[in-house]
Structures are given as structure tokens and as C-alpha cells.
Amino acid sequence: MRNEGRRRWARGGTERTRAVLLEAAAEVFAERGYDGASVDEIARTAGVSVGSIYSRFGNKQALFRALMADFLERDVTLARDRLAGGLAEGLSGMDERLLETADSRHRTLLDAETWVSAMRSPELREALAEHDRETRGAAARMTGEERERTGQTSPTRQAPRTGDDEVATALMALYHGLLRQRRLDPDSVAPDLYGRLVLLLSRGLAAEADGGL
Amino acid sequence: MRNEGRRRWARGGTERTRAVLLEAAAEVFAERGYDGASVDEIARTAGVSVGSIYSRFGNKQALFRALMADFLERDVTLARDRLAGGLAEGLSGMDERLLETADSRHRTLLDAETWVSAMRSPELREALAEHDRETRGAAARMTGEERERTGQTSPTRQAPRTGDDEVATALMALYHGLLRQRRLDPDSVAPDLYGRLVLLLSRGLAAEADGGL
DNA sequence: GTCTATAACCGGATAGAC
DNA sequence: GTCTATCCGGTTATAGAC
């Protein structure tokens, strides 16, 4: 009757144990939410005992914080890689990533839980805001480069137009919004919609730079 | 030592009692989340006893569902009103509404809680999806009218362009995305950004209808 | 470091008086 | 319909053996 829980390979490596534990925590927190998740279930899922978790993380909240830190770090690395290739590859990459994320129940729920927790805790909120700023900064740089490359605007700033940072904000807002939409109702968001909308937006920007106001 | 809780005017009206109860539930569910909220605290906030809640709603889940139904119904009415006036008033109305919603802690948290709950329960999810479809439909109608009015496209459909429903999806995604962004970091979203981005988008659409591709 | 056992507490839900 | 009192199961966290 012992060790009914899944996974049981942790013998030895303290580093691996941590990873296994965080993975189990991700699963249970995602599925049940922070308050709905019990430390006991996390322990069972990881194949360890509650005692181990408490000796390692101290308490439930610290476990969740560790998980979230890990999650955000991984995410920012990923985003950076995708954006590195310029607009063309960037867009199809983002399309793919949007579908992938939206269609994964696990990712969806963990994202949502991260969000609500951040809304309730100033500390987590700041961590998430910082993460957003980094991503937005990367997007703004990409936008700027793209503009220079297509020669929409010479290096010297000339007219009161929509700033790179605002475009970046729009790109991210659109991304998150479509994510939300597709999670809620997958059929309502075509696989390439994000890319097409961004193109539309960039056409609007070109028009703004050329002619009227 | 009795009745320390706030509010105590329910005597008599069973209808008013319900409203008071739902308001208290909204407050506590928002602040603590579904699992974090205790029926006892809701009762105290409403100034009634737990027994009353159970006799009226049966259990905690049913109370939450009732709250959510109420919340969505109110919201759809509001959205309909705002969109009724066409693009011009519509936009500034949406700008206002975005700020209002994003800057209210209570609204923010309740929205978020609605969302995560919907992600975990097929029933709630369908209710929220239906609500979204209604709103999106209204936005699509508005988009179509606007297009006809500015004569971008004659009543006869002619070219493979971005459809009204896709534009509506974009409008809503942008809205929700900016909402998220402003909630997280108010300074990163200017008060009129939504309106300006929509204008940019519509310029892109015009370009699409005219010339290339 | 990890286990088992247990303490201490709190939550949802119900019973039954009024 | 609303109250008070109570049951019961589950939760976090700790103690102490190994």
C-alpha cells in the first residue's frame, strides 16, 4: 500500500528532487488553484511525503513562490528566443506559440493562477509586472528595428506618432487577448489570426507615417 | 456582541436580502478567491447567518454560480448600451470603460475569479463563452455598419479580406489585453490608447480594402 | 533529508429551536 | 426564513524516529 503516487526516481539527487517537486506542484496548483491544492496531494503526485516538502520549502506559500519564479524565468527565456529573429519569423513563431499555449490546459490554468495570485499579493504582482516589462522591452526593440529596416522613419524622430513602446504594448495586449479568446472558445480564433492582425496594424502604422495625422 | 457585521437592513424584503447577499458574496469571493472564501465570512459581511445562506442557495457552489450569472447579465447589458452609438461614441466609451474596470480592484479580482472558475468547470465555461459570443456579435455588427457607412466596401462582398467577425475578435482581444496590462501596470497604458489603436487598425483595414493584397 | 504520526485548527454543511 | 450550535472531514504544519 505504500507509494501509490506516480514517479519515484528521486533517490540521490537533491537537485532532481527539487525539479520533480516543482513539476508536481505545477500540476496540482494548476488543476486545483492555490487554495484548492493540498500539500498532501502535491506530495503524493511527486511521490514524496509532506515532511519532505516542508523541510525543503518551509510552507505552502514559499513553494508556490518558488514555482512561479521558475515559471516566469523559463518563459522570459523562451520569449526572447522567439523574438530574436525579426518580424517575419517572429510572427509565425508567435502564432505557433499562441496556439500551443492556449491549447494546453495545464499552461492555461497555471497562467491564470499566476495572474490571480499576483493580483492578491503585491510581491507576486511586482514580479509579474517586471516579467511583463522585460518582454515588452524586447518587443519594443524589435518594433524599432523593423521600422528602421523598412525605412518608415529615419533615425531622427520627426512626427508625433505612435511610439515603439505603445506598439509593443499593443502587440502584447493582442497576444494575451487572443490567448484568452482561444482558451475560451478555440474555434473563434483562426491559427494565423495573430499574424494577420499584426500585419494589419503595421499597415495602419505605415499610413500614419505617410499621410494624414 | 451580536451583529457586528456590516449592513443590517434586510428585514422584510426577501428580494433585497438576496441582493445584499450577492453583494457580500461578490466582495468576499473577489478578495479571497472561490476556495479562499468562507461561507462564514460571506455571512458576516452580509450581516446574516450561515444558515440563511444555506437555506437560500443550498451550497457554496450554487451561491457562486448565482453571483456569476448576475454579474454576466449586468455586464452584457452594459456593453450593449455602450456599443449602441456607433464607432465614434463607442470608442471613447470603451476607453472610459476600460479605465474604470481596470482600475477597480474589486472588478479586477471578480473578473479573474470568474475566469479561473470557468476554466475549471465546463458549465461555467460555457456560460462565459456564451457571454463572449454575444458581446462579439454586437461588436461585429457595429464593425459592419461602420464599414458600410464609410463606404469601404459596398454591400456586395468582393475581395478576400479580414471579416467583420475577425475584426470584432481583434477589438475584444485588444480590449481584454489592455485591461490585463493596465491592471498589472497602470502607467504602461495611456487612457486613450485603446481608441488610438482601434483607429490604427481601421486605417490598416482601409489600406487592405484599397490596394495591396 | 526523508519518513510516519499527530497536533491544532478551520471549513462546509446540517439539525432543530424560534 | 433565520438563528445558534454542532458534527465531521480535511488542511497546514510540526515532532521525532530513522
Side-chain angles (χ1 to χ4, degrees):
Chain A
M1 262 302 217
R2 260 166 225 194
N3 295 331
E4 306 175 291
R6 291 171 269 161
R7 289 165 209 157
R8 184 68 175 186
W9 53 40
R11 283 281 164 262
T14 171
E15 201 51 40
R16 170 166 293 173
T17 305
R18 187 189 152 91
V20 171
L21 224 40
L22 285 184
E23 198 194 330
E27 199 170 315
V28 179
F29 278 132
E31 207 56 50
R32 315 259 187 222
Y34 178 79
D35 285 300
S38 77
V39 177
D40 189 76
E41 186 178 354
I42 295 173
R44 265 184 289 120
T45 303
V48 300
S49 69
V50 275
S52 290
I53 294 184
Y54 278 98
S55 85
R56 195 175 278 273
F57 291 97
N59 59 38
K60 186 182 176 181
Q61 221 182 30
L63 172 61
F64 184 76
R65 273 199 304 263
L67 170 65
M68 183 170 152
D70 212 60
F71 177 68
L72 291 185
E73 193 187 358
R74 214 180 297 242
D75 195 71
V76 89
T77 316
L78 231 138
R80 212 170 264 162
D81 290 352
R82 301 259 186 171
L83 286 174
L87 190 69
E89 299 105 81
L91 279 194
S92 73
M94 291 305 276
D95 268 337
E96 272 173 47
R97 181 146 187 257
L98 193 148
L99 297 197
E100 208 178 281
T101 309
D103 297 348
S104 152
R105 173 179 173 82
H106 180 257
R107 279 293 308 256
T108 296
L109 290 172
L110 203 52
D111 269 13
E113 201 55 31
T114 302
W115 170 258
V116 296
S117 300
M119 285 297 107
R120 289 201 189 99
S121 146
E123 183 194 345
L124 296 187
R125 184 202 182 103
E126 183 43 38
L128 192 56
E130 173 59 24
H131 170 259
D132 251 49
R133 275 192 292 272
E134 282 185 39
T135 312
R136 206 158 63 241
R141 276 192 299 280
M142 195 200 70
T143 305
E145 287 166 17
E146 189 64 21
R147 274 182 160 167
E148 289 188 17
R149 194 143 56 76
T150 60
Q152 263 179 40
T153 250
S154 27
T156 60
R157 217 137 284 178
Q158 47 195 27
R161 51 161 174 71
T162 313
D164 286 344
D165 50 340
E166 287 186 322
V167 177
T169 301
L171 293 182
M172 283 188 58
L174 203 54
Y175 182 82
H176 284 291
L178 288 177
L179 208 54
R180 187 199 118 102
Q181 188 63 42
R182 186 168 165 101
R183 280 164 174 175
L184 194 56
D185 192 352
D187 296 333
S188 70
V189 177
D192 64 339
L193 184 57
Y194 180 69
R196 276 158 47 217
L197 288 174
V198 172
L199 252 43
L200 224 52
L201 208 60
S202 82
R203 216 167 291 175
L205 281 166
E208 179 186 54
D210 281 0
L213 183 57
Chain B
M1 260 300 217
R2 261 168 223 192
N3 294 332
E4 307 174 290
R6 290 171 270 162
R7 293 163 206 157
R8 185 68 177 186
W9 53 39
R11 283 282 164 262
T14 171
E15 202 52 41
R16 171 167 292 175
T17 306
R18 186 190 153 91
V20 171
L21 224 38
L22 284 184
E23 199 193 330
E27 200 169 315
V28 180
F29 278 132
E31 207 57 50
R32 313 257 188 225
Y34 178 78
D35 285 300
S38 77
V39 177
D40 189 76
E41 185 177 352
I42 296 173
R44 263 184 289 120
T45 303
V48 301
S49 69
V50 275
S52 291
I53 293 185
Y54 279 98
S55 84
R56 194 175 280 272
F57 290 96
N59 59 36
K60 188 181 175 181
Q61 222 182 29
L63 171 61
F64 184 76
R65 275 199 301 264
L67 170 65
M68 183 170 152
D70 212 59
F71 177 66
L72 290 185
E73 192 187 0
R74 213 180 298 240
D75 194 71
V76 90
T77 316
L78 230 137
R80 212 169 267 162
D81 290 352
R82 300 259 187 172
L83 286 174
L87 190 69
E89 299 104 82
L91 280 194
S92 72
M94 291 305 276
D95 269 337
E96 271 172 48
R97 181 147 187 255
L98 193 147
L99 297 196
E100 208 177 281
T101 309
D103 298 349
S104 152
R105 172 177 172 81
H106 181 256
R107 279 293 310 253
T108 296
L109 289 172
L110 204 52
D111 269 12
E113 201 54 33
T114 302
W115 170 257
V116 297
S117 300
M119 285 297 107
R120 290 203 188 95
S121 146
E123 183 195 346
L124 296 187
R125 183 201 182 104
E126 183 43 39
L128 191 56
E130 173 59 24
H131 170 258
D132 251 49
R133 275 193 291 273
E134 281 184 39
T135 313
R136 206 158 62 243
R141 275 192 300 281
M142 195 200 69
T143 305
E145 286 165 17
E146 188 64 22
R147 273 183 159 164
E148 289 188 16
R149 192 142 57 77
T150 60
Q152 263 179 39
T153 249
S154 27
T156 61
R157 216 139 285 177
Q158 48 195 29
R161 51 162 175 72
T162 314
D164 285 345
D165 50 343
E166 287 185 322
V167 176
T169 301
L171 293 182
M172 283 188 59
L174 203 56
Y175 182 83
H176 283 290
L178 288 177
L179 207 54
R180 186 200 118 101
Q181 187 64 41
R182 186 169 166 101
R183 279 163 176 176
L184 194 56
D185 191 354
D187 295 333
S188 70
V189 177
D192 64 339
L193 184 58
Y194 181 69
R196 276 158 47 217
L197 288 175
V198 173
L199 252 44
L200 225 51
L201 209 60
S202 83
R203 215 167 294 175
L205 282 167
E208 180 187 53
D210 280 359
L213 184 60

